[in-house]
Amino acid sequence: MRIRSRTRSRTRTLLYGLLLGLLLGTGVLPATTATAADNGTWGVFPTPAAGAAMTDRAYFFHQGAAGSTLSDSVTILNSSDKELTFQVFATDAVNTPAGGAFALLPVETKPKDVGAWIALAPEASRTVTVPAKGRKDIPFSVKVPADATPGDHVGGIVALGTAVEGVQQEGRVQVGVKRSVGARLYFRVPGPITAGLSVEDVRVSRSAPLLPWVKNARATVSYALVNRGNVVIEPKVAVFAEGLFGREVLNRPARELKLSLLPGQRIELTEPWPDAPQSDWVTVKVTAGAAAHPDLVSESGTGFVAVPWPAVGLLLVLAGAGVTFWVLRRRRHTDGEPAEAVPDLAGMR
């Protein structure tokens, strides 16, 4: 069986599976119900305490100084009626550029941060087989480099199924998908902590009906959020717009985006505006902050002129047609007048 290319495999691996719904608090373990990362067939989560059937940890959260080493264990639970084989690996986490969802890098991408600090037990060096309705505990260690930078380092441990599913024929090539599930791992290196967040590249795209005010004009406010600090940020965003003379045309109070923006990550977000102004001079402002960091505020904006261009174009066409008609009529009237008599100056001597 042939897979089309590494690029396609990487893209599909990123799109399938590794989007988990757990959020990180700031420095301490938040009081939340533990939920294993699970796709309905298998799950990956921190190994439960001895004698416990389920973990009380929603994800891995550790803290260690540069140069230190610590140990833990990850569990793969097989909920199906047949044994399953996995490739188990540690990797780094990223935000997807569009939308900012949490994702773990695919197996083809070599980790450069906390994923590279993790060493799985030798038994996971090749593949791991988990019996039907069974589980497998895999010890691992985290060795923090001596030059590790302070702040949050985010990654995860992934169980990638070796079976290729959903095979489809595309021309001469068969394309399939390998499903994967990952457990998040947050690691904080003590030291100076800096929360940084910026709003950038605010822009507005809009569309208006052919006849103004018959239907609503639609617009989309696009902007980028960049985490310029060294800790995870859970941003909240407010969008405000005013027209001529300070008239308020849009006011959306700050709201949580329900995403974790990782250090150094940049994401592109959009805000739909279904009833945008059709004729106005508008200034749009996007303000971002974080509930855990009250002093962290960033604002950026842009302006645009809302003009019903289709209607203006129609008026220009009609005006042009009217001017053309008037000129032609004037010329026709002028051409129809009799020429003035020219006096014979010679006979007037």
Side-chain angles (χ1 to χ4, degrees):
M1 181 176 297
R2 295 175 293 175
I3 303 299
R4 179 181 291 273
S5 67
R6 174 170 293 186
T7 300
R8 171 163 292 188
S9 174
R10 181 177 303 173
T11 302
R12 294 203 175 194
T13 303
L14 184 62
L15 291 177
Y16 278 79
L18 306 175
L19 304 178
L20 312 180
L22 306 173
L23 299 178
L24 173 69
T26 57
V28 296
L29 189 67
T32 179
T33 303
T35 304
D38 195 312
N39 64 5
T41 304
W42 70 88
V44 182
F45 49 88
T47 298
M54 182 51 69
T55 182
D56 60 353
R57 294 184 290 169
Y59 43 75
F60 296 101
F61 185 87
H62 290 294
Q63 182 168 287
S68 64
T69 301
L70 58 87
S71 300
D72 205 334
S73 177
V74 63
T75 293
I76 303 174
L77 179 67
N78 180 1
S79 303
S80 71
D81 295 324
K82 62 180 181 180
E83 72 173 22
L84 299 173
T85 301
F86 304 96
Q87 182 179 358
V88 184
F89 63 96
T91 190
D92 298 333
V94 296
N95 290 107
T96 56
F102 182 99
L104 295 171
L105 295 176
V107 65
E108 297 92 346
T109 303
K110 186 177 180 179
K112 298 179 180 179
D113 196 55
V114 69
W117 305 353
I118 300 172
L120 298 170
E123 60 196 88
S125 60
R126 294 183 180 272
T127 57
V128 175
T129 299
V130 183
K133 303 297 183 181
R135 83 180 215 189
K136 181 72 173 180
D137 300 335
I138 303 173
F140 67 89
S141 62
V142 183
K143 185 176 182 179
V144 187
D147 59 351
T149 58
D152 293 336
H153 301 263
V154 188
I157 298 177
V158 181
L160 172 65
T162 57
V164 179
E165 304 177 13
V167 178
Q168 297 180 355
Q169 192 75 29
E170 294 188 8
R172 297 180 179 180
V173 180
Q174 288 182 319
V175 179
V177 174
K178 290 183 178 180
R179 289 195 295 164
S180 56
V181 177
R184 297 187 185 193
L185 186 148
Y186 296 93
F187 198 100
R188 173 163 289 185
V189 178
I193 298 300
T194 303
L197 179 65
S198 65
V199 182
E200 301 177 3
D201 298 336
V202 179
R203 55 200 182 278
V204 178
S205 60
R206 58 185 299 274
S207 61
L210 181 62
L211 296 177
W213 302 286
V214 173
K215 294 182 179 180
N216 288 338
R218 296 182 177 274
T220 300
V221 180
S222 303
Y223 59 95
L225 290 183
V226 186
N227 186 340
R228 299 196 177 278
N230 61 0
V231 292
V232 176
I233 295 294
E234 295 176 358
K236 58 180 182 179
V237 171
V239 182
F240 177 81
E242 62 181 20
L244 283 172
F245 311 113
R247 183 174 59 90
E248 182 181 290
V249 293
L250 178 66
N251 188 358
R252 294 183 182 172
R255 72 186 191 284
E256 299 285 347
L257 297 183
K258 307 301 182 184
L259 62 85
S260 297
L261 184 56
L262 308 182
Q265 295 290 299
R266 174 191 176 94
I267 60 176
E268 298 283 344
L269 300 172
T270 58
E271 186 86 15
W273 190 358
D275 55 348
Q278 299 197 40
S279 178
D280 208 337
W281 190 299
V282 184
T283 300
V284 180
K285 292 182 180 179
V286 178
T287 304
H293 305 277
D295 297 330
L296 184 62
V297 178
S298 177
E299 182 180 281
S300 185
T302 189
F304 69 94
V305 178
V307 178
W309 292 114
V312 171
L314 181 61
L315 289 176
L316 290 175
V317 170
L318 292 176
V323 170
T324 302
F325 176 78
W326 180 83
V327 170
L328 292 176
R329 183 177 180 184
R330 180 75 175 174
R331 182 177 299 172
R332 189 179 304 112
H333 177 73
T334 302
D335 292 343
E337 290 181 356
E340 293 185 3
V342 179
D344 186 1
L345 298 179
M348 298 177 64
R349 294 177 180 175

